[in-house]
Amino acid sequence: MSSAVSSYMELTARERLARLFDAGSFEEFLPPSARVVSPHLGQLDAPVAFDDGVAVGRAQLAGQPVFCAAQEGGFMGGAVGEVHGAKLTGLLRRAVREKAAAVVLLLESGGVRLHEANAGLIAVSEVMRALLDARAAGIPVIALVGGSNGCFGGMGIVARCANAVVMSEEGRLAMSGPEVIETASGVEEFDSRDRALVWRTTGGKHRYLMGDCQAIVPDEVQAFRDAAIAAIAHSSAGGVELSLAALEAEQDLLSDRIARFGGCADPLDAWRELGIPDPAAVPMMEADAFAALAASFTPGGAR
């Protein structure tokens, strides 16, 4: 990989694959030449992509054989349809068969593709099952979130099923997107046009402080690469299977989080509850300063 610093967020899915993994090592399964496209979009006169918005394959990461996937946010916001989801599911199942060292998912998605409705929802559920099967087989799954479209909807759930989530400040992670919340509950509940509020609520800093991601990195390819390598090593050493005890501990943490932060109207209030002396300064902090601040206390609900 080139040592030149480059923005992870500004790259396409294929550029991320080429630069994050060992140089020249990515081998794609079902490349665009295979012309595996959605069977639904054409019927609706919607544009199609010959990879259906996701590239899947194997690569080397610091010499380790890993399986990997990258969603293309430039095609329908990385939304998941039947074929898109099937490629992710097939990748995870093949990783189990071939005993990959890890699976690294470069996620950027607005959720399920509305054009494909139930087919997309089923596809996401199959991805989740395959991911947990991979973990049960002893294969760490690492999710990277740093694209401009964020990681929402079903793919937000998929990310949280992984062993570890790595985010940049610019990345966003949530179940429901800002527009969905506003539509369902009104602008008084959540103003999707308030970009500062959106990033305070769903951005990498808040997710790290709440314990929803295990590492936050600068918006640089090399930083994501280093964090992915570290996350694989940590997950492999600490066990990757999601046990009943781990699920019960996670549930306890979520219950504690509701009790502690349920009355907070804004992430600033939650950060204050965490003990941060000047919450308003957090959004403008550079990565190093934020990392030093975060190291001084236990994130809320950390795994």
Side-chain angles (χ1 to χ4, degrees):
M1 196 192 92
S2 170
S3 60
V5 174
S6 58
S7 166
Y8 181 95
M9 182 176 65
E10 294 176 0
L11 299 177
T12 66
R14 294 179 181 280
E15 288 171 336
R16 289 170 188 162
L17 289 168
R19 301 188 190 187
L20 192 138
F21 297 98
D22 296 358
S25 69
F26 177 63
E27 174 192 347
E28 187 170 3
F29 308 146
L30 294 176
S33 59
R35 305 175 82 86
V36 180
V37 303
S38 166
H40 307 283
L41 296 178
Q43 296 174 5
L44 300 171
D45 292 325
V48 300
F50 288 146
D51 59 7
D52 206 46
V54 63
V56 302
R58 63 161 66 90
Q60 297 282 319
L61 182 60
Q64 289 192 91
V66 300
F67 277 44
C68 51
Q71 295 179 295
E72 178 50 68
F75 180 68
M76 295 191 168
V80 178
E82 182 179 7
V83 169
H84 186 120
K87 290 176 71 173
L88 291 170
T89 298
L91 175 82
L92 288 157
R93 289 176 177 171
R94 186 167 175 178
V96 173
R97 289 200 309 270
E98 299 190 13
K99 297 180 173 57
V103 177
V104 182
L105 302 177
L106 285 60
L107 302 182
E108 182 177 359
S109 176
V112 169
R113 196 177 293 168
L114 296 181
H115 309 70
E116 304 194 33
N118 289 345
L121 290 168
I122 293 169
V124 169
S125 70
E126 291 174 341
V127 173
M128 284 187 267
R129 179 187 292 272
L131 190 158
L132 294 174
D133 285 344
R135 290 187 60 179
I139 298 173
V141 182
I142 310 302
L144 310 185
V145 180
S148 59
N149 289 284
C151 185
F152 292 101
M155 292 310 297
I157 302 175
V158 169
R160 290 292 283 120
C161 289
N163 290 85
V165 180
V166 177
M167 296 182 69
S168 63
E169 176 185 355
E170 293 79 7
R172 289 170 293 152
L173 174 65
M175 171 56 196
S176 297
E179 293 83 2
V180 174
I181 298 172
E182 182 180 306
T183 299
S185 302
V187 69
E188 299 84 2
E189 177 71 20
F190 198 87
D191 185 354
S192 65
R193 294 168 297 179
D194 186 341
R195 293 176 64 83
L197 174 63
V198 169
W199 255 266
R200 282 201 306 274
T201 306
T202 65
K205 285 179 175 174
H206 183 58
R207 289 305 178 199
Y208 183 77
L209 291 172
M210 290 291 104
D212 293 315
C213 75
Q214 286 63 56
I216 184 166
V217 299
D219 177 35
E220 299 168 4
V221 175
Q222 184 66 48
F224 271 99
R225 173 184 165 88
D226 293 343
I229 294 169
I232 291 171
H234 178 77
S235 297
S236 298
V240 296
E241 184 175 354
L242 191 59
S243 65
L244 176 60
L247 281 173
E248 290 176 339
E250 182 98 355
Q251 184 61 44
D252 290 342
L253 288 171
L254 293 174
S255 298
D256 291 344
R257 183 189 296 182
I258 292 173
R260 187 175 181 187
F261 306 111
C264 296
D266 187 287
L268 293 172
D269 300 327
W271 301 346
R272 187 174 294 107
E273 172 63 28
L274 282 171
I276 296 176
D278 185 8
V282 170
M284 299 305 295
M285 283 184 174
E286 296 295 334
D288 291 344
F290 176 76
L293 172 70
S296 65
F297 60 89
T298 302
R303 282 193 283 185

